[in-house]
Amino acid sequence: MRELGADEVINYRTTKDLTAALRKAAPEGIDVYFDNVGGSHLDAALAVAKDSARIVICGMIAGYNDELPSETMHHLSAIIIKRLSVRGFIVLDHYDLYPEFSAAMIGWLKDGKVKSRDTVYDGLDNAPKAFLGLFSGDNTGKMLVRLADR
């Protein structure tokens, strides 16, 4: 993942103790955490957060299909003890900035300042496989189905 500019990478699928892995990756603690997963990922970040860290939450996909509330959160008291700032948002909060963001992001992608990797399935017949893969983590980045070559 160094090619994408990451200093440290944790494979959550093979890591038995996510909190310990975060502590190893960020031995001085986490200042800022962006979360769109929730569950055990957010819980680990709360455990490793520095005092006065800022946590931004835009999704909690880990629990979207749960029938019962999650019981994986053990470090919620860290919000109080560490005086954390936690803020949720959705894209619509800043939709007025979309044209400006879109133009800037296109430039950054073209210039190589922002890099991404996506999972691409070819053909409409592979759409169900791609869709189901979203729920089992079979994708890196966006999950896409290419219907035709450009």
Side-chain angles (χ1 to χ4, degrees), residues 41-52:
H41 293 239
L42 175 58
D43 195 51
L46 291 172
V48 181
K50 286 182 175 181
D51 287 356
S52 301

Side-chain angles (χ1 to χ4, degrees), residues 14-81:
T14 59
T15 299
K16 296 195 186 318
D17 185 340
L18 194 53
T19 302
L22 276 176
R23 281 196 206 317
K24 182 178 177 191
E28 295 180 21
I30 296 172
D31 290 308
V32 177
Y33 181 72
F34 178 90
D35 186 75
N36 64 355
V37 176
S40 60
H41 293 239
L42 175 58
D43 195 51
L46 291 172
V48 181
K50 286 182 175 181
D51 287 356
S52 301
R54 290 143 306 169
I55 298 172
V56 181
I57 301 175
C58 76
M60 293 200 173
I61 196 167
Y64 287 170
N65 295 317
D66 291 350
E67 291 183 24
L68 299 172
S70 172
E71 295 184 20
T72 62
M73 299 299 292
H74 304 285
H75 296 99
L76 286 175
S77 63
I79 295 170
I80 298 165
I81 295 165

Side-chain angles (χ1 to χ4, degrees), residues 95-117:
Y95 197 73
D96 59 310
L97 299 173
Y98 181 77
E100 178 183 343
F101 166 79
S102 182
M105 183 57 74
I106 288 169
W108 296 332
L109 287 165
K110 285 181 180 177
D111 293 343
K113 292 179 180 175
V114 173
K115 299 174 186 174
S116 68
R117 286 195 327 200

Side-chain angles (χ1 to χ4, degrees), residues 88-149:
F89 77 95
I90 58 175
V91 70
L92 295 177
D93 294 342
H94 305 284
Y95 197 73
D96 59 310
L97 299 173
Y98 181 77
E100 178 183 343
F101 166 79
S102 182
M105 183 57 74
I106 288 169
W108 296 332
L109 287 165
K110 285 181 180 177
D111 293 343
K113 292 179 180 175
V114 173
K115 299 174 186 174
S116 68
R117 286 195 327 200
D118 301 319
T119 301
V120 180
Y121 283 86
D122 284 305
L124 191 56
D125 55 326
N126 282 313
K129 183 177 180 180
F131 179 71
L132 292 174
L134 289 171
F135 301 103
S136 56
D138 291 346
N139 58 304
T140 298
K142 289 182 277 185
M143 179 73 83
L144 303 169
V145 176
R146 182 176 20 232
L147 299 179
D149 290 330

